[in-house]
Amino acid sequence: MARVLRGGVAVIDPVLLFGLALAAGAPLALSPLATALGAALAAAALRRRAGRAALAAAGVALVVSGLRARALLDGADAAYDGALALLHPPARCEVACAVVGSPVVVGAAQQRSAAAPGVDDEPPASRIDVELSGGTCGGRALPGPLRARLYGAPVDLARGDRLEVTVDLAPIHLFRNEGLRDGSAAIARSGIVASGTIVEARRTSEGRAIDVRAAVDRARAFVRGRIEATFHPDAVALGRALVLGETDLAPEDQEAFRESGLAHLLAVSGTHLVLAVAGFAAALRAILVRVGPIAARWDAGRITAALCVPAAWLYADFAGGGGSAMRAAAMLSCAMGARLLGLRPVGVRCFALSLAGAAAVDPLVAWDLSFGLSAAATAGLLWLQRPLAALLVPGEKERGDGGAEGGSSPRELARKVLAPLATTLAAMFGCTPLLLLNGETFPLLGVAANVVAAPIGELAALPFCLAHAVLSWAPPVERGCALVGSGALLAVRAVARASADTGVVLRLPEPSPAQLAALAAAIAIAWAAERRGRRLAALAAGAAAWLLLEGVATRAGAPRGVLRVNVLDVGQGDAILIDLPEGGAMLVDAGGFVGSPVDTGARVLRPLLRSRRRARLDVVVLSHPHPDHFGGLPATVEGVEVGELWDTGQGEAEGAGPVYRKLLSDLRARGVPIVRPASLCGRPRVLSGATIEVLAPCPELHPDRGANDNSFVVRITYGARSALLVGDAEHEAEDALVARYGAALRADLLKVGHHGSRTSTGAALLAAVDPSIAAVSCGVRNRFGHPSPEVLSRLSAHGVAIARTDRGGALTWETDGERVLWSRPGEPPHPAPGSRGRGAAAGHAPENGGP
């Protein structure tokens, strides 16, 4: 990180400072205040170690990169809005397209996760990224190029191929909720705004014969076929992940590798690329030095270095083109370029250039998890491995002084055991913040699991799997490599499963942007300090700031003195998180997709609770037993304390399927009370400072009504303000509510019934409730026409501001009992309409809600 100048002052490498500033463009665009403050503190700490010119250049780089990232995000939002306008509702398209991304074979589960609704189980098929141009969608002409991810494609395609396809296409779902990662960054980086399932496809032309990308894709297809033909069946998915970057593991294996901290062993990481290219370099050099004319006239090492640069990039592309592999290819190219020029490669400088180059090409590269983990692990190895080795390995500082002991001495044996541990710890320490940012558990046994599994993965699985990829011309040797590679992969999987089965993980909250900025500033201050005592003080101050900011985040996640209703974006379903005035929480439904592996509990609710530091839900309400309301509940309540579950009981009476039954069974086993309408109706209760009234189905279920009209209808009041949540109640239930309660139904916020279906939100209910804001929970991929134009027209005519989750994401509605604020993700809160029935406040006209 530093070089020593006159006077013994360590100075930060200006290229590294510049690269870090460029890479910080994405955080600046996504969290400007925290990033700017952290950068200012770091610059103040480094002013004596960097010089004014280097700091000024870094500051300009940070601002320019942040502006570029912001422009990309704004462009992504505009592109997504265009896809919404074209593909609402989802449409059948007959279009021409060009393949722009390497085909990836995925299983049926992965196909359904992003494909259009209603896809049946199918054998694994190819997933391709395409650019659509020309044709029609739903009878409307495609207005311009549109990028989409298509499932069910032929497996023999390659980049550059052109197709004519019939495809059921829909916008991708971003699940836009305050506190969760912004999905616009993925669109900005890939351009993909829609996805769907191919109904029919015809290839009209192949990519050019000299197109390297097409050649790489056909090589990938060939190697994939050989893996499937020769590997042990249980190791095929593991082999494809390791060699091709195709993550298609069984769910239980995905969970095991994640919880054990061994996921990197199956990812195409920078280490894998270095090992692969190093093997290529060693073999090539061994050949060149034996060719007399070449060895006599040229430096075989320089020739090898020159050929290793394109080899690194080709291998990175062959292995899936992930951020980790591409960053490693850049770093390796720097090292080989130095060797080619007769210079000594400097690891820090090559690392810095890899950061700067990646961020210059893509200012949002820091958003890429694989790139971030690769960079963080490399940083840990560069700056932490030696100090940790000196701390852990006896006599490590004295090695090389001529007094080394024999290879069989106890000290030497300890060194052999502890040196790999120091390396593993250094990489893990570097990755810890990102691991916490992208996963709710931290593997306490991860170090031990890595010490056992890493040698198997890197010394057996990787070399034999890579050798297998080029040995199809020698079938017996190929089969031998497949046998050894499969065995090594299954051994790594066994370690992952054993480690995960112990359950020894640490559940930690997601770091806030402010905490990450404080950590970066503390590291900069500690590095700049000239004395060890000051460095320790800086790190202690950073830890104190982290804890202080943790308290701020906890307070923000459970505000006091306000009622906050969060109508969440979970697609075509309902999920409402309610923050109660005295710090409690209530959850009404959790969304869910029938037949889809996209679990709204795991994808939206659990990460949201984690980011808000919510470990308890005082009440969970299942409005009625339909999958788009309870499908996400099992994952949501896993690991969360639940006070009680309110359930109408209709699911048990009529049978709502195994997911519903298991949910109730698991909660009962945990001692959670299941409360029915008979115990709730007519008994308003004060829960954590808010008054909760159950208005229907009262006094008990109506046996002649369906589940929608037996939905829980809940009114929540704080001070003079209230919210009415009606589940999927339709006209029959609405008429009964109006007849029974009349004007007592009044509420400031109405959660519109049945996702805005024309069978709900009748004129009589609307007149009785007289809301100022209406929330419509519906998804961009729904084929039901929700919300109905009739409902939107009635709401607009009544002067009600409309917030649709398929347009702008979640709604946050908050009141202190008098004033009301509302906001959408990425927006500051603004005043809601002040008086019922009078429309939006000045300057905030209601949305027309039109499709």
Side-chain angles (χ1 to χ4, degrees), residues 46 199 217 239 262 268 281 289 311 336 367 392 423 430 435 438 480 501 519 565 609 629 681 689:
L46 295 172
V199 178
D217 290 342
L262 296 178
V268 182
V289 296
M336 292 297 176
W367 191 88
L392 294 175
T423 301
L435 291 173
N438 291 277
D501 286 346
L519 175 64
V565 178
L609 292 174
H629 293 253
C681 292

Side-chain angles (χ1 to χ4, degrees), residues 435-593:
L435 291 173
L436 294 179
L437 191 63
N438 291 277
E440 61 188 71
T441 59
F442 185 79
L444 292 179
L445 294 181
V447 173
N450 271 276
V451 168
V452 174
I456 302 174
E458 294 177 355
L459 299 179
L462 181 62
F464 279 96
C465 288
L466 292 178
H468 169 272
V470 296
L471 286 172
S472 61
W473 53 272
V477 183
E478 181 195 39
R479 288 194 296 271
C481 286
L483 179 63
V484 177
S486 294
L489 287 170
L490 293 175
V492 170
R493 186 182 70 170
V495 175
R497 288 182 172 182
S499 177
D501 286 346
T502 63
V504 183
V505 295
L506 187 62
R507 295 186 179 274
L508 295 171
E510 177 183 336
S512 67
Q515 286 175 309
L516 294 175
L519 175 64
I523 291 173
I525 294 170
W527 183 85
E530 297 179 3
R531 298 177 183 176
R532 182 178 180 183
R534 291 183 178 179
R535 291 176 182 174
L536 293 176
L539 293 176
W546 183 286
L547 294 176
L548 177 63
L549 292 168
E550 180 63 24
V552 172
T554 301
R555 180 76 176 181
R560 302 299 179 108
V562 296
L563 171 68
R564 186 168 66 185
V565 178
N566 307 272
V567 181
L568 303 177
D569 178 8
V570 290
Q572 186 64 14
D574 272 16
I576 305 165
L577 178 63
I578 302 155
D579 298 308
L580 299 169
E582 294 178 0
M586 181 176 180
L587 177 67
V588 181
D589 297 327
F593 300 122

Side-chain angles (χ1 to χ4, degrees), residues 23-115:
L28 182 65
L30 294 168
S31 304
L33 182 59
T35 304
L37 183 58
L41 290 173
L46 295 172
R47 66 186 184 280
R48 294 185 59 233
R49 305 261 183 161
R52 293 181 180 179
L55 285 176
V60 171
L62 174 63
V63 172
V64 170
S65 185
L67 291 174
R68 289 181 62 207
R70 187 68 260 169
L72 287 174
L73 292 171
D74 291 342
D77 289 337
Y80 187 68
D81 289 343
L84 289 177
L86 175 69
L87 300 173
H88 183 83
R92 174 156 291 189
C93 301
E94 297 177 347
V95 290
C97 65
V99 180
V100 296
S102 292
V104 175
V105 170
V106 295
Q110 283 73 16
Q111 293 177 47
R112 291 197 305 270
S113 69

Side-chain angles (χ1 to χ4, degrees), residues 20 327 351 355 373-385 426-427 430:
L20 290 171
R327 193 207 62 77
F351 175 66
L355 292 181
L373 288 174
S374 172
T378 302
L381 292 173
L382 286 172
W383 289 291
L384 295 178
Q385 197 273 339

Side-chain angles (χ1 to χ4, degrees), residues 198-376:
I198 292 175
V199 178
E200 185 178 358
R202 182 173 68 88
R203 180 160 45 194
T204 57
S205 66
E206 292 188 358
R208 293 175 298 174
I210 59 173
D211 191 336
V212 174
R213 301 174 308 157
V216 168
D217 290 342
R218 291 187 168 87
R220 282 170 54 86
F222 177 79
V223 171
R224 182 187 301 117
R226 298 311 304 159
I227 290 174
E228 292 171 350
T230 58
F231 272 50
H232 187 281
D234 291 343
V236 167
L238 303 173
R240 288 200 287 113
L242 182 67
V243 177
L244 302 174
E246 295 181 349
T247 304
D248 189 28
L249 305 183
E252 58 272 18
D253 285 341
Q254 287 183 337
E255 185 76 4
F257 276 94
R258 183 184 63 81
E259 291 204 351
S260 64
L262 296 178
H264 67 96
L265 291 180
L266 289 186
V268 182
S269 66
T271 302
H272 290 180
L273 182 138
V274 170
L275 289 175
V277 177
F280 167 77
L284 181 62
R285 192 172 187 282
I287 294 172
L288 291 177
V289 296
R290 287 168 173 77
V291 179
I294 295 177
R297 299 184 59 184
W298 291 291
D299 183 343
R302 289 191 176 187
I303 297 175
T304 301
L307 293 176
C308 279
V309 173
W313 291 103
L314 283 172
Y315 179 76
D317 190 32
F318 173 83
S324 171
M326 290 297 183
R327 193 207 62 77
M331 191 169 175
L332 189 63
S333 296
C334 171
M336 292 297 176
R339 175 69 180 85
L340 182 62
L341 296 173
L343 303 175
R344 181 175 177 270
V346 179
V348 171
R349 178 60 59 83
C350 289
F351 175 66
L353 288 173
S354 73
L355 292 181
V361 173
D362 178 8
L364 288 168
V365 71
W367 191 88
D368 185 319
L369 177 59
S370 68
F371 177 90
L373 288 174
S374 172

